[in-house]
Amino acid sequence: MKIINETILIIDYGSQYTQLIARKIREQNVYCEVYPYNKISSSILNNKDLSGIILSGGPNSVKDKKSPKLNKKILELKIPILGICYGLQLLCKEFGGNIGQSSSREYGHSLITRKNKSKLLDGVKKKSQVWMSHGDHIEKAPKDFTITSFSNNRVISSIEDKRSKIYGLQFHPEVYHSLDGLKILSNFLLKICKITKKFKLDDFLNNKINELKNNLKNKKVICGLSGGVDSTVTSFLLHKAIKHNLYCIFVDHGLLRFNESNEVVSIFKKKFGKNFIRIDASKIFLSNLKNIKDPEEKRKIIGKTFIKVFEKEAKKIKKVEYLAQGTLYPDIIESIPFFGGPTAKIKSHHNVGGLPKKINLKIVEPLKELFKDEVRLLGKKLNISPDLLSRHPFPGPGLSIRIPGEIDRKKINILQRVDNLFITYLKENNIYKKIWQAFAILLPIKSVGVMGDERTYNYCVVIRAVTSVDGMTADFYMFSKKNITEISKKIISNVKEVNRVLYDFTSKPPGTIEWE
């Protein structure tokens, strides 16, 4: 575990919100790392810069004998601990409190009322809206613990033992719907853990450049360049550290956006010169994806094909030892189950889950400690064009996961044209920069329509636009009726294969941003 300044350790017990805890902590310029409860080693706990521990929620019941247990070594550290939901119940059970099992889960909005003075709840309204998600609840608090709030259902919603610096919340402060949640987390970080050394990107940049120089020395590195924000910042950062020893390879897998391949070549050929290489591997990818419907299978096939193409190209460059990837911290967190963690798998990531077991190149991931918004800020410090940094995120598997079901060139071509019309409209109407991510999905169904006096039977497309800070949570963008009407008309008028346009009104959670 690499500590940067003072660090908060988040122990994951399987909550889908664990990554939100990490994100909210980073928003306050405090460094944190997430580890599964069953991967907590002595080296992690013995690090002298560890300032506090947060125990996440989880889907299990502490009353179940097979449920995840509390690592009692964390209690020996004598540093502040905050248990959230399942984490609270673990602490309650450990110190002799009583846990009751509800006949039904308490899920959604709730009001809590503060009952006693609490450093954790300092500045929180007397009655505050929070987000509950639990089946079990505390019936009796442990000895020496003070109850500091109740929910409107008379459920104990927070307890603390300030002498031992142990705190617990029945609700989720990390979720947007907990209106004072950020304040609560700030109290824990700054007033209880007494964090003073803030996480600064300038320090990260300088440390990372030195780290790359020392680790890579004069060894050659291939960087997979897609033209997206992650791979762009990765390539610029590596170039800053190792200069001409970086070879940027752009693999055109045939699943990019409209005219994107030509745009990438024109931009990066100028930056990296002879060390920029374009490979048209679209036939290989599409052949390997033929008849594949399952999204996880698509991702893994693309990941394996991607590596094979790279290994083949690497043989043409003498003494290449490393493959650089634009993996971000959310990729690592969401892919924890691949490494034995408890969080329920949502989807695998192209940079993490798609790698084959045997690979002839070592992996270097210089951005793996960062979230997307931090990567954009880092890009500014590397003097990357704002136009490149403001591009909406684009998944590694490309349009393959925006075409549910089987993929072929015809479907790709249809989606490219629809997506281009959508994005062009957003840019022309000064909406693009208000949106975190916008794209179109080609559904594997057709519907009846009427154009002129003729009956049509063509594809349906979905347009999706969300606002977010980093993609960890997101809300749909509320277009005006005028905008929606114009976008729909533009698509149907210009793409003859489409006769119906739908809009996705789903936030994350409960949905994901991408459809697959």
Side-chain angles (χ1 to χ4, degrees), residues 152-164:
N152 54 336
N153 292 331
R154 297 301 298 167
V155 170
I156 296 172
S157 49
S158 60
I159 62 173
E160 64 182 56
D161 180 356
K162 57 186 178 183
R163 289 176 299 177
S164 300

Side-chain angles (χ1 to χ4, degrees), residues 105-153:
R105 290 177 61 86
E106 185 177 25
Y107 183 83
H109 297 94
S110 182
L111 279 177
I112 63 165
T113 303
R114 287 190 293 108
K115 290 298 180 185
N116 288 290
K117 188 175 180 181
S118 166
K119 191 176 288 187
L120 184 66
L121 302 182
D122 188 30
V124 174
K125 295 177 182 177
K126 179 75 173 177
K127 291 184 180 292
S128 183
Q129 178 184 296
V130 299
W131 184 263
M132 292 282 191
S133 179
H134 65 94
D136 295 346
H137 63 273
I138 299 175
E139 289 185 338
K140 181 181 178 183
K143 184 182 178 182
D144 297 328
F145 277 74
T146 301
I147 298 171
T148 54
S149 71
F150 287 92
S151 76
N152 54 336
N153 292 331

